Amino acid sequence: MGSLRFPFSFSQPATTRFPSGAFSPGSIACSVAVSAAIGAGISAGISISQNSTNPSLHSALNSFLSNFSRSSPLWGSLSLSDSSAAVVTESKTGFSFPAVLKDSQGLLGIGLRRKAVFGLKNIDVYAFGVYADDNDIKNFLSEKYGTLLTNELKQKEVTQDLMESDISVTVRLQIVYGKLSIRSVRNAFEDSVGSRLKKFGGSENKELLQKFTSQFSDEYKIPRGSIIDLSKEKGYVLRTTIDGKEVGSVQSQLLCRSILDLYIGDEPFDSKAKEEINLKLASVVTK
Ligand code: DAO
Ligand code: DAO
């Protein structure tokens, strides 16, 4: 296994080095939880070096880690069971997201979808993570912003460009609320997705909404812990899988745009997540 190095600097600069070989393979090798408790004032430099058999994973992981160490406020805790299985844990729900999905898509940010019921209390419906390939992002965005510095780029709404691009993006949802009925799910996306279809398409687009929702027949169960991947693939194909099983796909630029708008658009479900994603995109482009 590779060697891991975690130089943390606190107010009294100190370096902690974990000797390689101190952890037995197969067990939880190393777990780093950077919690809000040690939050303010901490500047953590996290780096990972190893002999990886998967260079794209390695680079995605490194870029993820470098972003993580810079991001403030920290969005969750990071743990490494071994370097190829790095996950980020959403702090409120405890749900974990792999740092890399589909071999090359790196995690850009995580957040929480909440919903007010009866106009009163908010329930946590699902945690989500947004992923895209570093190289795709770099290629696409550097054409437009190639001459800008990271700090200049961070002021731009780079998420807007990502939404409009034909880059593959995956939004992973992990169901938190255990009592979702298919009916309440349908009603919810008639509101959320429906309002975006109308906003971007200029009409109700009932047919398109119907095409999307008809994929989710009553036989699907989505208990707590279910994983739903909404993948925007090249050519504006939106493919949905539930717990790894394909449910269907719909080819529509408008639908892809509307779905991404829920997470990185003007009125996102979790504005902190959108901010993180924007910063991450800026840092990938100018790296
Ligand atoms: O039980 O009435 C209730 C609350 C239901 C909230 C439904 C929110 C559904 C959000 C969409 C989930 C998509 C997976
Ligand atoms: O959170 O309001 C929202 C919209 C989420 C869209 C996600 C749709 C995926 C739903 C799968 C349901 C399976 C029964």
Side-chain angles (χ1 to χ4, degrees):
M1 75 165 268
S3 66
L4 302 167
R5 196 165 59 88
F6 296 94
F8 287 97
S9 69
F10 296 89
S11 48
Q12 290 277 49
T15 302
T16 311
R17 192 179 281 268
F18 296 93
S20 67
F23 314 108
S24 59
S27 67
I28 293 186
C30 175
S31 156
V32 185
V34 184
S35 71
I38 53 169
I42 181 177
S43 90
I46 304 177
S47 71
I48 183 166
S49 63
Q50 56 151 8
N51 298 322
S52 177
T53 49
N54 183 339
S56 65
L57 172 72
H58 191 190
S59 75
L61 202 55
N62 263 328
S63 94
F64 170 75
L65 289 171
S66 66
N67 177 65
F68 178 84
S69 61
R70 235 179 287 135
S71 63
S72 169
L74 299 169
W75 7 280
S77 68
L78 169 78
S79 28
L80 302 171
S81 48
D82 65 50
S83 53
S84 60
V87 297
V88 176
T89 304
E90 200 283 317
S91 49
K92 182 144 188 281
T93 60
F95 281 94
S96 293
F97 291 84
V100 178
L101 210 59
K102 299 178 183 173
D103 292 336
S104 70
Q105 292 188 8
L107 185 56
L108 301 173
I110 59 177
L112 201 53
R113 156 72 153 131
R114 311 185 80 209
K115 188 169 167 63
V117 280
F118 311 118
L120 289 169
K121 77 174 209 204
N122 270 314
I123 52 169
D124 298 339
V125 183
Y126 56 78
F128 64 86
V130 180
Y131 295 81
D133 187 305
D134 271 10
N135 288 326
D136 287 354
I137 295 169
K138 225 176 162 143
N139 291 342
F140 176 76
L141 293 177
S142 58
E143 267 176 43
K144 185 162 176 185
Y145 297 113
T147 57
L148 293 184
L149 302 169
T150 310
N151 282 342
E152 296 171 320
L153 196 52
K154 281 179 178 167
Q155 315 301 319
K156 307 254 178 225
E157 277 244 349
V158 203
T159 49
Q160 188 74 25
D161 297 285
L162 183 65
M163 261 190 311
E164 284 160 9
S165 77
D166 194 16
I167 293 176
S168 301
V169 178
T170 303
V171 183
R172 167 163 290 195
L173 319 181
Q174 294 201 61
I175 305 297
V176 177
Y177 184 67
K179 289 177 285 190
L180 281 180
S181 67
I182 292 292
R183 198 169 70 98
S184 62
V185 171
R186 281 223 186 86
N187 288 338
F189 40 78
E190 272 166 31
D191 281 355
S192 62
V193 185
S195 72
R196 268 75 173 187
L197 291 175
K198 194 167 170 185
K199 178 174 164 195
F200 300 118
S203 72
E204 292 280 347
N205 285 289
K206 281 227 154 66
E207 235 170 71
L208 186 53
L209 186 65
Q210 169 68 23
K211 201 167 166 187
F212 178 63
T213 60
S214 67
Q215 299 180 107
F216 312 115
S217 62
D218 296 348
E219 80 211 47
Y220 291 109
K221 298 277 176 289
I222 44 169
R224 183 180 164 88
S226 301
I227 294 181
I228 300 171
D229 282 344
L230 301 165
S231 309
K232 185 186 97 171
E233 299 176 350
K234 292 245 155 60
Y236 302 99
V237 173
L238 183 77
R239 187 179 306 281
T240 308
T241 63
I242 300 180
D243 292 328
K245 284 197 255 350
E246 179 156 347
V247 168
S249 60
V250 177
Q251 200 273 330
S252 162
Q253 185 166 0
L254 177 58
L255 181 64
C256 289
R257 166 83 214 241
S258 298
I259 293 282
L260 289 183
D261 190 77
L262 302 170
Y263 307 98
I264 55 175
D266 282 344
E267 292 171 78
F269 287 144
D270 185 334
S271 49
K272 210 169 128 258
K274 178 190 164 177
E275 221 175 277
E276 289 285 356
I277 293 166
N278 207 67
L279 292 180
K280 170 70 181 167
L281 287 169
S283 73
V284 169
V285 181
T286 49
K287 204 170 53 194

